[in-house]
Amino acid sequence: YQEEIQELNEVARHRPRSTLVMGIQQENRQIRELQQENKELRTSLEEHQSALELIMSKYREQMFRLLMASKKDDPSIIVKLKEQHSKV
């Protein structure tokens, strides 16, 4: 480990300080850009999840209504459907 550190220090000493600073600044810019992109992607994912939850909720509600309409004659199925719907 110490040998590696010494080798890196030697390489760094052979380059001008301004070059090292510019390299670090460029890396910092790239990191900030990636962090911003990550933040935008998270926001987009949350929006998509919200939309999907709304769509699925409406779908479940519609399916519940359809099943209720088709199973009017069997009260046990209606009770089961109500229990499932309330859990969801």
Side-chain angles (χ1 to χ4, degrees):
Y1 174 77
Q2 289 296 329
E3 291 174 7
E4 292 291 326
I5 294 295
Q6 287 176 348
E7 189 177 318
L8 288 171
N9 284 334
E10 288 176 19
V11 170
R13 287 187 190 113
H14 295 298
R15 292 186 354 198
R17 185 181 186 109
S18 62
T19 305
L20 292 172
V21 170
M22 285 176 48
I24 291 171
Q25 288 174 339
Q26 183 179 6
E27 287 177 12
N28 284 341
R29 267 194 306 274
Q30 290 172 340
I31 289 170
R32 275 187 252 119
E33 289 172 2
L34 289 171
Q35 287 173 335
Q36 180 62 31
E37 182 181 0
N38 195 14
K39 188 177 182 180
E40 291 170 4
L41 288 170
R42 271 198 194 110
T43 302
S44 179
L45 178 62
E46 288 171 2
E47 290 172 357
H48 282 84
Q49 285 175 331
S50 235
L52 187 56
E53 286 174 11
L54 178 64
I55 290 168
M56 289 306 296
S57 173
K58 294 200 179 255
Y59 170 77
R60 286 185 204 104
E61 185 179 319
Q62 189 65 24
M63 289 305 296
F64 178 74
R65 287 182 185 159
L66 287 171
L67 288 171
M68 291 288 285
S70 67
K71 303 294 180 187
K72 284 184 208 176
D73 301 330
D74 190 350
S76 65
I77 291 178
I78 293 173
V79 171
K80 287 178 187 176
L81 289 173
K82 284 183 181 178
E83 288 173 359
Q84 288 175 354
H85 184 68
S86 65
K87 288 179 185 177
V88 174

